[in-house]
Amino acid sequence: MLPEITFRSSGMPPAQRFERWRDLMSQTHAPMDMSSEHADDFWVNQRNILLDDVAVYPMECHPLTFRRTARLIKKSDPEAYHLSYVVRGSGAITLGKETVVHTAGHFHTSDTSRSFDLSTGSDPVEIVGVEIPKALLPLPRAAADRVIGRKMSASNGMGALLATFLGQLARDSRSYQPADGPRLRTVLADLVGALFSGALDDDRSLTPESHRRALTLRIKAFIRNNSDDPRLDVASIAAAHHISVSYLHRLFQYEGDGTTVAGYLHKHRLAQARRDLADPASSGVPVHVISARRGFAHPATFSRAFRDAYGTTPTALRRQSLGLPV
């Protein structure tokens, strides 16, 4: 399990909740002035998932205001960028003379070295926040600084890929081992760098290594989203990303885990079929229909591959999942 700090306000007296949470925030984030109209009975659920010097924190809470002032910057500056993926609610951030309104499905950003005011809307807000050292991003500091304050979509392109990564990490954080932390940290830094670079419309600002990682992550997301298409193969995957088949193979070789392009597609199709077979809602759907839906052209090929992967037949797994004798 990854190192994690959890704070739930429901387990303490209402009058103490806001101050206790504000103390935690001052220890784990850059110092900020915080206020809320709900301070007398504040509600917040927050987890800090620690990836070495990077923090990812899923949080839902009552409306509030954050202020990072020149006085606080002078007092302490960890030189980090902050991103929040807004899942629910809205807010507005003011940096200098510019105010940007953020709504669900967007990222907002700030910089611990710059003063800002951030106020959420009148309804509770849910975010997945990221605190990442500036030095960790794989692009020049001056380029990254130009992105801060911009409104960036989490619904398409690199924004959607980053939002998916953060959502999965928030949901499945307990399934990772401490040794996974450095790898997840690297992937997250590359995704944030690619999002910033895309906002600048200048992929040249990324290092070659980070560009490869970001492209590989995009390709894997494409495979997962299109794996049900039986026509999807290595050649069509390469064509969809305007690269050669040989370069596509090299991208997966850079991953270093031995997974090939075809292997990744095959494994994902099997996993999706296995999930369908274990779902009681699909108990009346024939096995051959499920295999066809998940991109397998021949039922016999699917059955052999399923048995090789899971040590049992599709029918046996379905019966076991339904509590029936095998």
Side-chain angles (χ1 to χ4, degrees), residues 137-139 189-190 194 206-215:
L137 286 195
L139 69 164
D190 286 334
L206 286 175
T207 65
E209 182 180 6
S210 293
H211 189 280
R212 286 197 302 268
R213 287 199 196 108
L215 177 56

Side-chain angles (χ1 to χ4, degrees), residues 34-316:
M34 290 179 282
S35 60
S36 173
E37 295 180 356
H38 302 269
D40 293 337
D41 187 15
F42 196 66
W43 166 76
V44 58
N45 292 324
Q46 179 178 346
R47 292 185 293 126
N48 281 17
I49 304 166
L50 306 178
L51 310 176
D52 292 343
D53 52 353
V54 175
V56 176
Y57 54 98
M59 181 178 76
E60 50 183 348
C61 65
H62 269 143
L64 75 165
T65 296
F66 299 93
R67 291 187 178 89
R68 178 83 170 144
T69 64
R71 175 182 60 83
L72 291 173
I73 294 170
K74 185 176 180 180
K75 179 180 178 181
S76 174
D77 182 9
E79 295 199 357
Y81 293 122
H82 166 84
L83 295 87
S84 281
Y85 165 39
V86 183
V87 180
R88 173 168 56 100
S90 61
I93 184 168
T94 300
L95 296 101
K97 297 180 180 180
E98 184 176 6
T99 298
V100 179
V101 175
H102 299 276
T103 53
H106 289 88
F107 289 96
H108 76 69
T109 56
S110 58
D111 178 348
T112 62
S113 304
R114 297 167 59 182
S115 299
F116 64 83
D117 283 13
L118 172 62
S119 296
T120 66
S122 57
D123 297 321
V125 65
E126 180 181 356
I127 67 164
V128 182
V130 179
E131 295 279 345
I132 185 166
K134 295 178 181 180
L136 189 58
L137 286 195
L139 69 164
R141 180 81 58 88
D145 286 346
R146 298 203 306 273
V147 176
I148 299 304
R150 294 193 185 190
K151 185 175 183 176
M152 293 178 284
S153 174
S155 302
N156 51 62
M158 293 307 304
L161 194 55
L162 176 56
T164 299
F165 177 85
L166 291 174
Q168 182 173 339
L169 180 60
R171 289 190 303 271
D172 302 336
S173 62
R174 291 174 176 81
S175 69
Y176 296 103
Q177 300 301 316
D180 295 324
R183 291 188 287 270
L184 292 169
R185 170 184 181 266
T186 299
V187 171
L188 181 55
D190 286 334
L191 286 173
V192 174
L195 176 67
F196 279 26
S197 184
L200 295 168
D201 197 25
D202 184 11
D203 275 348
R204 291 171 298 176
S205 60
L206 286 175
T207 65
E209 182 180 6
S210 293
H211 189 280
R212 286 197 302 268
R213 287 199 196 108
L215 177 56
T216 305
L217 289 167
R218 284 202 299 271
I219 291 170
K220 286 185 173 181
F222 174 84
I223 292 172
R224 293 193 300 271
N225 291 334
N226 295 277
S227 63
D228 291 346
D229 185 349
R231 297 168 298 178
L232 190 69
D233 57 14
V234 174
S236 61
I237 294 167
H241 293 84
H242 310 290
I243 59 176
S244 67
V245 168
S246 60
Y247 185 61
L248 175 60
H249 285 308
R250 287 201 300 274
L251 286 173
F252 273 68
Q253 289 171 0
Y254 288 132
E255 291 288 291
D257 61 1
T259 303
T260 64
V261 184
Y264 186 84
L265 171 60
H266 184 70
K267 183 177 180 180
H268 183 71
R269 283 173 169 166
L270 284 173
Q272 294 294 92
R274 186 179 190 275
R275 187 187 67 180
D276 293 343
L277 290 166
D279 185 356
S282 299
S283 60
V285 181
V287 171
H288 74 273
V289 173
I290 287 177
S291 69
R293 284 179 180 174
R294 294 307 183 183
F296 290 92
H298 304 290
T301 302
F302 167 70
S303 295
R304 285 195 299 271
F306 194 95
R307 187 170 57 249
D308 290 343
Y310 301 115
T312 187
T313 66
T315 300

